[in-house]
Amino acid sequence: MAAQAEAGMSGLAEADFALCELPPMLRELVDVAGFAATVALAERFGGTEIVVPAREPGPEWIVWQCAGGEAAGKIWRRYQGLRVYIPKGDRALRCVRNRQIVEAYRGDATANRLAREFGLSSRRVSDILNNPDSGGAGDGRRRRDPRQLAMEI
């Protein structure tokens, strides 16, 4: 999951989080460990507390297994010996994901490629792209693929 989220959710700006009202603790975790690790933690532990050990953990630590070694090390250094509440943040994370899908589509990404990267169906990606709340067109129009010939009469 972390690798998939990293591929699809990297490079977000602070403005994306502000628009989507990311809970403060998740915002802090993004600053500490990155967006992909935060997504993985929110999906696995959202709505519960994690215990950060006092001694440096290894691969047996559940956070290490969920978010990866590098992110787990950063979390340990920041919250060593504390209990940390992980908000669910599912609405905010979905909002951020949808905005990133729209932004990538405005570039050169196709709906099918985005569906694979984000683990969604191509129909769901089309719904996101056509939803004005996600920043999409909202008018049902699709971007013309420059590799296709125009079919105008």
Side-chain angles (χ1 to χ4, degrees), residues 101-134:
I101 286 171
V102 169
E103 198 58 38
Y105 188 75
R106 287 182 180 150
D108 63 350
T110 64
N112 282 329
R113 188 179 110 207
L114 291 169
R116 285 189 296 273
E117 285 181 16
F118 286 90
L120 301 170
S121 69
S122 56
R123 176 172 282 181
R124 180 66 190 127
V125 170
S126 293
D127 291 345
I128 291 166
L129 294 172
N130 288 315
N131 183 346
D133 291 337
S134 299

Coordinates of all heavy atoms in Angstrom, one line a residue, residues 101-134:
I101 N -5.7 13.4 -8.6 CA -6.2 12.8 -9.8 C -6.5 13.8 -10.9 O -6.1 13.7 -12.0 CB -7.3 11.8 -9.5 CG1 -6.8 10.6 -8.8 CG2 -8.0 11.4 -10.8 CD1 -7.9 9.7 -8.3
V102 N -7.3 14.8 -10.5 CA -7.7 15.8 -11.5 C -6.4 16.6 -12.0 O -6.3 16.8 -13.2 CB -8.7 16.8 -10.8 CG1 -8.9 18.0 -11.7 CG2 -10.0 16.1 -10.6
E103 N -5.5 16.9 -11.1 CA -4.3 17.6 -11.5 C -3.5 16.8 -12.4 O -3.0 17.3 -13.4 CB -3.5 18.0 -10.2 CG -2.5 19.1 -10.5 CD -3.1 20.4 -11.0 OE1 -4.2 20.8 -10.6 OE2 -2.5 21.0 -11.9
A104 N -3.3 15.5 -12.1 CA -2.5 14.6 -13.0 C -3.2 14.5 -14.4 O -2.5 14.4 -15.4 CB -2.3 13.3 -12.4
Y105 N -4.5 14.4 -14.4 CA -5.2 14.3 -15.7 C -5.1 15.5 -16.5 O -5.0 15.4 -17.7 CB -6.7 14.0 -15.4 CG -7.5 13.7 -16.6 CD1 -7.4 12.4 -17.2 CD2 -8.3 14.6 -17.2 CE1 -8.1 12.1 -18.3 CE2 -9.1 14.3 -18.3 CZ -9.0 13.0 -18.9 OH -9.7 12.7 -20.0
R106 N -5.0 16.7 -15.9 CA -4.8 17.9 -16.6 C -3.4 18.0 -17.3 O -3.2 18.7 -18.2 CB -4.9 19.1 -15.7 CG -6.4 19.4 -15.4 CD -6.5 20.6 -14.5 NE -7.9 20.8 -14.2 CZ -8.4 21.3 -13.0 NH1 -7.5 21.8 -12.1 NH2 -9.6 21.5 -12.8
G107 N -2.5 17.2 -16.7 CA -1.2 17.0 -17.3 C -1.3 16.0 -18.5 O -2.1 16.2 -19.4
D108 N -0.6 15.0 -18.5 CA -0.6 14.0 -19.6 C -1.1 12.6 -19.2 O -1.0 11.7 -20.0 CB 0.8 13.9 -20.2 CG 1.8 13.4 -19.3 OD1 1.5 13.2 -18.1 OD2 2.9 13.1 -19.7
A109 N -1.6 12.5 -18.0 CA -2.1 11.1 -17.5 C -3.4 10.8 -18.1 O -4.3 11.7 -18.3 CB -2.2 11.1 -16.0
T110 N -3.6 9.5 -18.4 CA -4.9 9.1 -18.9 C -5.7 8.5 -17.7 O -5.2 8.2 -16.7 CB -4.7 7.9 -19.9 OG1 -4.1 6.8 -19.2 CG2 -3.9 8.3 -21.1
A111 N -7.0 8.4 -17.9 CA -7.9 7.9 -16.8 C -7.5 6.5 -16.5 O -7.5 6.1 -15.3 CB -9.4 8.0 -17.2
N112 N -7.2 5.7 -17.5 CA -6.8 4.3 -17.2 C -5.5 4.2 -16.4 O -5.4 3.4 -15.5 CB -6.7 3.5 -18.5 CG -8.1 3.1 -19.0 OD1 -9.0 2.9 -18.3 ND2 -8.2 3.0 -20.3
R113 N -4.5 5.0 -16.7 CA -3.3 5.0 -16.0 C -3.5 5.4 -14.6 O -3.0 4.9 -13.6 CB -2.3 5.9 -16.7 CG -0.9 5.7 -16.0 CD 0.2 6.6 -16.7 NE 0.5 7.6 -15.7 CZ 0.9 8.8 -16.0 NH1 1.1 9.2 -17.2 NH2 1.2 9.7 -15.1
L114 N -4.3 6.5 -14.4 CA -4.6 7.0 -13.0 C -5.4 5.9 -12.2 O -5.2 5.8 -11.0 CB -5.4 8.3 -13.1 CG -4.6 9.5 -13.6 CD1 -5.6 10.6 -13.9 CD2 -3.6 9.9 -12.7
A115 N -6.3 5.2 -12.9 CA -7.0 4.1 -12.2 C -6.1 3.1 -11.6 O -6.2 2.7 -10.5 CB -8.1 3.5 -13.1
R116 N -5.1 2.7 -12.4 CA -4.1 1.7 -12.0 C -3.3 2.3 -10.9 O -3.0 1.6 -9.9 CB -3.2 1.3 -13.2 CG -4.0 0.3 -14.1 CD -3.0 -0.2 -15.2 NE -2.4 0.8 -16.0 CZ -3.0 1.2 -17.2 NH1 -4.1 0.7 -17.5 NH2 -2.4 2.1 -17.9
E117 N -2.8 3.5 -11.0 CA -1.9 4.1 -10.0 C -2.6 4.3 -8.6 O -2.0 4.1 -7.6 CB -1.4 5.5 -10.5 CG -0.3 5.4 -11.5 CD 0.2 6.8 -11.9 OE1 -0.1 7.8 -11.2 OE2 0.8 6.8 -13.0
F118 N -3.9 4.6 -8.7 CA -4.6 4.9 -7.4 C -5.4 3.7 -6.9 O -6.1 3.8 -5.9 CB -5.5 6.1 -7.6 CG -4.7 7.4 -7.6 CD1 -4.2 7.9 -8.8 CD2 -4.4 8.1 -6.4 CE1 -3.5 9.1 -8.8 CE2 -3.7 9.3 -6.5 CZ -3.2 9.8 -7.7
G119 N -5.4 2.6 -7.6 CA -6.1 1.4 -7.2 C -7.6 1.6 -7.3 O -8.4 1.1 -6.5
L120 N -8.1 2.3 -8.3 CA -9.5 2.6 -8.5 C -9.9 2.0 -9.9 O -9.1 1.7 -10.7 CB -9.8 4.1 -8.5 CG -9.4 4.9 -7.3 CD1 -9.5 6.4 -7.6 CD2 -10.2 4.5 -6.1
S121 N -11.2 2.0 -10.1 CA -11.7 1.6 -11.4 C -11.7 2.8 -12.3 O -11.7 4.0 -11.9 CB -13.2 1.1 -11.3 OG -14.0 2.2 -11.0
S122 N -11.6 2.6 -13.6 CA -11.6 3.7 -14.6 C -12.9 4.5 -14.5 O -12.9 5.7 -14.7 CB -11.3 3.3 -16.0 OG -12.2 2.3 -16.4
R123 N -14.0 3.8 -14.2 CA -15.3 4.5 -14.0 C -15.2 5.5 -12.9 O -15.7 6.6 -12.9 CB -16.4 3.5 -13.9 CG -17.7 4.2 -13.6 CD -18.9 3.2 -13.6 NE -19.2 2.9 -15.0 CZ -20.1 2.2 -15.4 NH1 -20.9 1.5 -14.5 NH2 -20.3 2.0 -16.7
R124 N -14.6 5.0 -11.7 CA -14.5 5.9 -10.6 C -13.6 7.1 -10.9 O -14.0 8.3 -10.5 CB -13.9 5.1 -9.4 CG -13.8 6.0 -8.1 CD -15.2 6.4 -7.6 NE -15.0 7.4 -6.6 CZ -15.6 8.6 -6.5 NH1 -16.5 8.9 -7.5 NH2 -15.4 9.4 -5.6
V125 N -12.6 6.9 -11.6 CA -11.7 8.0 -12.0 C -12.5 9.0 -12.9 O -12.4 10.2 -12.7 CB -10.4 7.6 -12.7 CG1 -9.7 8.7 -13.4 CG2 -9.5 6.8 -11.7
S126 N -13.3 8.5 -13.8 CA -14.1 9.4 -14.7 C -15.1 10.2 -13.8 O -15.3 11.3 -14.1 CB -14.9 8.5 -15.7 OG -14.0 8.0 -16.6
D127 N -15.7 9.5 -12.8 CA -16.6 10.2 -11.9 C -15.9 11.4 -11.2 O -16.5 12.5 -11.1 CB -17.2 9.3 -10.9 CG -18.2 8.3 -11.5 OD1 -18.6 8.5 -12.6 OD2 -18.5 7.3 -10.8
I128 N -14.7 11.1 -10.7 CA -13.9 12.1 -10.1 C -13.6 13.3 -11.0 O -13.7 14.4 -10.7 CB -12.6 11.5 -9.5 CG1 -13.0 10.6 -8.3 CG2 -11.6 12.6 -9.0 CD1 -11.8 9.7 -7.9
L129 N -13.2 12.9 -12.2 CA -12.9 14.0 -13.2 C -14.1 14.8 -13.6 O -13.9 16.0 -14.0 CB -12.2 13.3 -14.4 CG -10.9 12.6 -14.2 CD1 -10.5 11.9 -15.4 CD2 -9.8 13.6 -13.8
N130 N -15.2 14.3 -13.5 CA -16.4 15.0 -13.9 C -17.2 15.6 -12.7 O -18.2 16.2 -12.9 CB -17.4 14.1 -14.6 CG -16.9 13.8 -16.0 OD1 -16.4 14.6 -16.7 ND2 -16.9 12.5 -16.4
N131 N -16.6 15.6 -11.5 CA -17.2 16.2 -10.4 C -16.6 17.5 -10.1 O -15.4 17.6 -9.7 CB -17.0 15.2 -9.2 CG -17.6 15.7 -7.9 OD1 -18.0 16.8 -7.8 ND2 -17.7 14.8 -6.9
P132 N -17.3 18.6 -10.1 CA -16.8 19.9 -9.9 C -16.2 20.1 -8.4 O -15.3 20.9 -8.2 CB -17.9 20.9 -10.1 CG -19.1 20.1 -10.3 CD -18.7 18.6 -10.5
D133 N -16.7 19.3 -7.5 CA -16.2 19.4 -6.1 C -14.8 18.9 -6.0 O -14.1 19.2 -5.1 CB -17.1 18.6 -5.1 CG -18.5 19.2 -5.0 OD1 -18.6 20.4 -5.2 OD2 -19.4 18.5 -4.6
S134 N -14.4 18.0 -6.9 CA -13.0 17.5 -6.9 C -12.1 18.4 -7.8 O -10.9 18.1 -7.9 CB -13.0 16.1 -7.6 OG -13.8 15.2 -6.8

